[in-house]
Amino acid sequence: MRESVQAEVMMSFLVSEELSFRIPVELRYETCDPYAVRLTFHLPGDAPVTWAFGRELLIDGVGRPCGDGDVHIAPAEPETFGEVLIRLQVGTDQAMFRVGTAPLVAFLDRTDKLVPLGQERSLADFDTLLDEALDRILAEEQSAG
C-alpha cells in the first residue's frame, strides 16, 4: 500500500496589497498521520517552513471560510471557487498565500483515494500511529526553536 501522497503547487505569497511573488509549496499527506496535511513553503533566501494542520480543514476551506487559531482557509471569491486564501499566523505575525483551487482539489482527491475521509481511524494500530505522529510534531516544533 502506498503510504503518502505529495504534490508541488505554486502559490502567491501576498506580502502586501501591492506586492506578491510566486513560491513553490510541497503538499504532503501520509498514512502515518492520517488526519493531517503538511505544506512546506520554499521562500527565497530562507530555509523551508512546514506547517501541519487538519486535512478536513483544507477540504472545508476550499468551499467556505473556516479555521480557528493559527490557520484560516477560505475561497478568495466565494462565488467563483477559483482560488483559495491560506492565512498562517504565529502571534501577531501572519503570512497570506493564494493558490488555485484545482491543484488543491486534485491533491485532496488523491489523499481520499489513499485514506477515504472518515476512515482515518480504521488504520491498523491507530494509537501507535498517533503517538508517533505526536512525537514527530513535537520534534519538529523543538527543532524550529
Side-chain angles (χ1 to χ4, degrees), residues 38 50-52 133-145:
R38 285 180 169 60
T50 300
W51 278 71
L134 290 173
D135 289 343
R136 192 172 55 253
I137 290 168
L138 289 172
E140 288 173 3
E141 287 180 359
Q142 289 174 353
S143 70

Side-chain angles (χ1 to χ4, degrees), residues 5-31:
V5 171
Q6 64 185 49
E8 186 173 293
V9 300
M10 294 300 289
M11 291 189 184
S12 293
F13 176 35
L14 307 174
V15 179
S16 68
E17 287 190 30
E18 299 83 27
L19 178 63
S20 68
F21 55 91
R22 296 182 55 77
I23 61 167
V25 178
E26 178 186 337
L27 309 173
R28 186 166 184 84
Y29 176 79
E30 299 173 326
T31 58

Side-chain angles (χ1 to χ4, degrees), residues 8 10 18 29 32 41 53 55 58 72-73 81 85 102 105 108 111 113-114 120 123 129:
E8 186 173 293
M10 294 300 289
E18 299 83 27
Y29 176 79
C32 65
F41 298 88
F53 51 87
R55 173 173 67 155
L58 187 56
H72 293 262
I73 304 173
F81 297 109
L85 295 174
V105 170
L108 290 167
T111 71
K113 286 183 171 88
L114 186 60
E120 296 90 350
L123 294 177
L129 294 172

Side-chain angles (χ1 to χ4, degrees), residues 105-124:
V105 170
F107 170 75
L108 290 167
D109 183 58
R110 291 174 55 215
T111 71
D112 192 62
K113 286 183 171 88
L114 186 60
V115 178
L117 191 62
Q119 299 298 311
E120 296 90 350
R121 190 159 177 88
S122 68
L123 294 177

Side-chain angles (χ1 to χ4, degrees), residues 23-83:
I23 61 167
V25 178
E26 178 186 337
L27 309 173
R28 186 166 184 84
Y29 176 79
E30 299 173 326
T31 58
C32 65
D33 191 3
Y35 289 99
V37 293
R38 285 180 169 60
L39 278 65
T40 300
F41 298 88
H42 298 275
L43 298 167
D46 286 333
V49 175
T50 300
W51 278 71
F53 51 87
R55 173 173 67 155
E56 196 165 343
L57 176 64
L58 187 56
I59 291 168
D60 291 345
V62 167
R64 63 178 175 80
C66 62
D68 290 323
D70 297 342
V71 180
H72 293 262
I73 304 173
E77 296 181 26
E79 305 81 35
T80 64
F81 297 109
E83 293 183 311

Side-chain angles (χ1 to χ4, degrees), residues 78-99:
E79 305 81 35
T80 64
F81 297 109
E83 293 183 311
V84 173
L85 295 174
I86 299 174
R87 186 184 72 180
L88 307 174
Q89 185 168 344
V90 176
T92 58
D93 294 330
Q94 69 177 4
M96 183 76 79
F97 300 89
R98 181 186 298 260
V99 61

